[in-house]
Amino acid sequence: MTNKVMSIMVVGVGGQGVILASELLCEAAMRMGYDVKKSEIHGMAQRGGSVVSSVRYGEKVYSPLITKREADILLSFEQLETLRWLDYIKPEGKIVINDQRIVPMAVAVGQGEYPDVFGILNRVTDKVYKLNGPDIAQQVGDIRAVNVALVGALSIHLDIPMELWRKVIESRVPPETLDINLKAFEMGRTLMKVP
Amino acid sequence: MRVLLSGNEAIARGAYEYGISVATAYPGTPSTEILENMVNYKDNIYCEWAPNEKVAMEVAIGASLGGARALVAMKHVGLNVASDPFLTLSYTGVKGGLVIVSADDPGMHSSQNEQDNRHYARMAKVPMLEPSDSQEAKDYVGIALEISEVFDAPVLLRTTTRVSHTKTVVRLSEREKIPAPSEFERAPGKYVMVPANARMRHIAVEERLERLRQYAEETDINRIEWRDKKVGVITSGISYQYVREAMPDASILKLGMTYPLAENLIRKFANGVETLYVVEELDPFLEEQIKAMGINVIGKEKLPILYEFDQSIIREKLADEKIELKNFLGETQLPPRPPVLCPGCPHRGVFYILKKLKLVVMGDIGCYSLGVAPPLAALDSTVCMGASVGMTFGAELALKENIKGKIVGVIGDSTFIHSGITGLIDIVYNKGASTIIILDNRTTGMTGHQDNPGTGRTLKGERTHQLDLKEVVRAVGIKNVRVIDPYNLEETEKVITEEINKDEPSVIITNRPCVLIVKDEKQNKYRVDAKLCKNCGMCYMVGCSAIYREDNKANIDEIFCAGCGVCAQVCRFNAIKKVGDMDDQ
Ligand SMILES: Cc1ncc(C[n+]2csc(CCOP(=O)(O)OP(=O)(O)O)c2C)c(N)n1
């Protein structure tokens, strides 16, 4: 019996909605009947630090952590943050990336440079799937919908039916934002399909 | 029903299902969400934020002696604060079942040290359980209560960050019906720990430990999983998951109860395998006890004593599997992205001035600990909650005139109430002349905005008496009490300068709430007038993440700007202006 475990890392910057995105993913995996584990570090209330959340699901999951060379998919909310986790992706792993830059304080004050992210990624793998999250969020009319749009983009790489995603989103977002979030999800999903 | 719960949510749920009716805590990562989620059951469980862990513990002890099932939760260092009642509680025993949750933080994701609280179980001679996922976290609350009541002992439920903050699948049940106690059952011989009684109770503690050793042999939360007998691993808590992942064929002795140890079970397991490892994060707690049994076991020779584990560490150290990494980044250095004070944080202005005045700053624990980071870099110490006050006084005693007017202590509102007050009493009583700044942002910010006695609201969201810090400080005997607006740099500098030069103790209290709580929508955003900006870099020195350099000019990201105006006050060319004011030009 093979116990295939899916390992997905969701990374970004505090305040971007990384945690909600990984919650949606977990909820969907659980409704598929999988064993699911999700781990992240939270505690500091401050905005603006690096955030990482690990989601693993399959028939039986032991460790909640994803270690180097174990991630099937890296879902990244911010260009630079993608680079911090390159070692964690499997050789055949995929990168779903939000085409957004948030300049870290060090760079903002002139210490260090914001790297050429796509230049580096192109050397590393051809499995990079780019989505302009802020653009979608603007189109649906709420900047906070970036995270759900990204989950939409992620969803085409997973074996979870659209109907189930809809139910999960319904159960997790405030009712008054449901339409916007569903639209953002579908746009993320559609744009990913047609490159 | 199957649901996904974090370890902390599961403990709260366990408290509900197993009939706990009083739950107390002082917040602290990674334990905070236990009580935050307990509120969901407030119709059945009284829950509160206590001012500190010692009080939280004492309330729980009282509830237990009153006959109710009770739970108290804290982070690892919180148990240091509560250790005094805890260690004697072991002697008094309980009436209603009593669970003490200690959430440890291997890896120090958000802690000042990496102490291993399993030692507390041994020191207090109380039973300890360690869950390895959320289902166990919930179940172990029930088991702990049962042990507590059967053995007349408080039970330590020890989690670590990766159990507390990991969501795993849990099956829910209904709440057990536990009859409410009707009267206080007096038992002075057991509860009044004067020496004559305590001597008798120490005997009971030792006898209890013997009976608990027997229980450890029999309970099914200690279990052997026989697989390949070449390699056997004794492990507990989250390490169990890493071992299962990294060494799927190894036999495992999983200890759900890690104090006292099941010696016969350990012997049986040791005899059944060729090579025996013990896998535990932090100290060789199990290892040393097992070695003391005369059993040959490999532990810290191979595995680190520092930080947390994961499956790759186990694979590398015990299964000799190393992974090859490529250097994807080449020469590129990734700029770090540490947590920073939020745009609009009221702590910023104070630190900017402390740095400007080149003062020695005895710091404390809270968001303001981030004042250590450049460019503010205005913090000289952080030890434990409340330490800033006594340490300021102590440094003045050491350096006398040499430090007069050159030192302050800085402490948050929640931290001051937690354990800063007593330090201040010491300064007044012993005729010190220290200046202490209370950064009163009206919340317990660092741990995610919990209410405290200064906010005027309880954990349950009810209005309550709001502790007036000015009155408290005056009552302690401080005559120089000043309130400042930390957004006003001129006033902040003036008041601090005046107070540090006095020959009497002073307290300066800031009056701006945390920006993440009180969103002042009317607060104007600021913008840089590119025509006036000389790119001198002064505004970067306030360390605000909304300010960045572009095209050799300072820029302000208006989405992030909270409109505090601190940057505008440091600009020497009047280039930073309120958005509205600029549009008028
Ligand atoms: C004994 C102990 N308990 C709890 C904590 C966790 N903790 C760190 S800072 C903090 C409170 C910070 O609140 P406050 O002093 O009001 O400062 P703020 O973060 O709001 O600036 C807490 C509870 C700790 N470090 N030590």
Side-chain angles (χ1 to χ4, degrees), chain B residues 341-565:
Chain B
L341 291 178
C342 304
C345 176
H347 301 337
R348 176 172 286 107
V350 174
F351 279 105
Y352 181 81
I353 295 300
L354 295 178
K355 162 111 177 198
K356 184 176 172 198
L357 296 175
K358 299 195 175 69
L359 298 183
V360 171
V361 180
M362 290 299 183
D364 223 294
I365 304 200
C367 288
Y368 44 92
S369 303
L370 298 173
V372 69
L376 291 170
L379 201 62
D380 294 291
S381 76
T382 289
V383 175
C384 69
M385 290 189 71
S388 58
V389 185
M391 286 176 65
T392 303
F393 187 34
E396 287 168 340
L397 296 176
L399 288 149
K400 304 196 177 77
E401 309 74 46
N402 296 327
I403 203 156
K404 178 77 202 151
K406 295 181 192 155
I407 182 171
V408 292
V410 168
I411 185 167
D413 52 329
S414 183
T415 303
F416 179 73
I417 296 165
H418 177 282
S419 49
I421 295 175
T422 38
L424 200 60
I425 293 174
D426 186 49
I427 292 172
V428 175
Y429 173 54
N430 288 305
K431 305 183 180 180
S434 317
T435 298
I436 304 297
I437 302 174
I438 303 179
L439 299 168
D440 183 9
N441 62 354
R442 297 300 152 73
T443 188
T444 317
M446 186 71 146
T447 42
H449 303 117
Q450 292 74 32
D451 278 295
N452 67 50
T455 68
R457 272 190 195 278
T458 68
L459 169 58
K460 290 189 276 187
E462 294 160 347
R463 287 224 158 273
T464 182
H465 174 75
Q466 184 170 11
L467 189 78
D468 184 335
L469 290 176
K470 291 188 295 299
E471 290 305 316
V472 169
V473 165
R474 285 202 187 97
V476 158
I478 301 284
K479 294 198 197 79
N480 307 298
V481 182
R482 309 282 297 269
V483 175
I484 56 168
D485 176 359
Y487 284 175
N488 182 338
L489 294 184
E490 199 182 315
E491 173 188 323
T492 300
E493 179 168 354
K494 178 169 169 285
V495 171
I496 292 175
T497 309
E498 281 169 15
E499 296 308 319
I500 51 179
N501 287 308
K502 287 188 179 159
D503 290 328
E504 288 178 330
S506 308
V507 169
I508 302 168
I509 303 175
T510 64
N511 70 358
R512 286 272 175 182
C514 170
V515 273
L516 296 187
I517 295 207
V518 180
K519 282 253 181 325
D520 187 352
E521 297 297 345
K522 293 191 299 301
Q523 202 56 262
N524 250 307
K525 308 248 178 200
Y526 283 77
R527 195 177 279 172
V528 179
D529 186 338
K531 296 191 296 296
L532 297 177
C533 175
K534 303 256 188 291
N535 194 26
C536 70
M538 263 315 272
C539 58
Y540 304 135
M541 300 316 286
V542 304
C544 176
S545 57
I547 307 176
Y548 61 98
R549 193 189 300 251
E550 201 171 85
D551 303 331
N552 279 324
K553 298 278 175 187
N555 278 274
I556 294 176
D557 188 329
E558 279 172 39
I559 295 180
F560 292 119
C561 175
C564 71

Side-chain angles (χ1 to χ4, degrees), chain B residues 263-277:
Chain B
E263 183 166 345
N264 295 332
L265 189 67
I266 291 170
R267 273 187 205 290
K268 176 175 153 197
F269 184 69
N271 290 335
V273 297
E274 282 172 36
T275 308
L276 181 64
Y277 295 111

Side-chain angles (χ1 to χ4, degrees), chain B residues 247-317:
Chain B
M247 306 168 77
D249 300 325
S251 293
I252 293 182
L253 169 55
K254 180 185 183 300
L255 297 175
M257 181 170 182
T258 46
Y259 196 79
L261 289 180
E263 183 166 345
N264 295 332
L265 189 67
I266 291 170
R267 273 187 205 290
K268 176 175 153 197
F269 184 69
N271 290 335
V273 297
E274 282 172 36
T275 308
L276 181 64
Y277 295 111
V278 56
V279 175
E280 57 187 327
E281 290 175 324
L282 304 182
D283 294 345
F285 177 80
L286 301 173
E287 180 182 340
E288 284 177 354
Q289 292 180 77
I290 295 169
K291 282 184 171 159
M293 295 169 191
I295 295 169
N296 203 359
V297 65
I298 303 164
K300 295 297 166 190
E301 298 97 308
K302 289 210 162 197
L303 289 160
I305 201 163
L306 302 176
Y307 317 141
E308 63 177 1
F309 289 174
D310 59 31
Q311 58 269 35
S312 72
I313 291 175
I314 315 287
R315 272 191 210 115
E316 186 187 322
K317 306 284 180 190

Side-chain angles (χ1 to χ4, degrees), chain B residues 198-226:
Chain B
R199 283 184 200 113
M200 301 314 292
R201 289 302 298 167
H202 190 181
I203 299 171
V205 167
E206 298 300 333
E207 285 171 357
R208 182 179 73 198
L209 208 49
E210 279 315 304
R211 283 183 284 126
L212 282 163
R213 283 186 219 286
Q214 195 50 44
Y215 175 87
E217 304 285 356
E218 290 153 11
T219 173
D220 57 12
I221 64 171
N222 292 333
R223 64 161 194 265
I224 294 176
E225 299 172 4
W226 288 120

Side-chain angles (χ1 to χ4, degrees), chain B residues 118-153:
Chain B
R118 294 177 301 170
H119 296 296
Y120 269 116
R122 203 173 174 194
M123 177 152 67
K125 307 187 183 210
V126 301
M128 169 168 59
L129 308 185
E130 289 188 76
S132 67
D133 61 21
S134 301
Q135 180 70 51
E136 286 185 357
K138 178 173 83 93
D139 295 345
Y140 284 15
V141 171
I143 296 168
L145 286 165
E146 202 179 289
I147 295 175
S148 178
E149 288 171 1
V150 171
F151 292 89
D152 191 5

Side-chain angles (χ1 to χ4, degrees), chain A residues 38 43 62-63 65 81 102, chain B residues 167 244 311 335 337 446:
Chain A
K38 174 178 90 123
Y62 293 107
S63 172
L65 299 181
E81 291 308 308
I102 299 176
Chain B
K167 290 205 172 187
R244 282 297 282 130
Q311 58 269 35
R337 204 191 293 269
M446 186 71 146

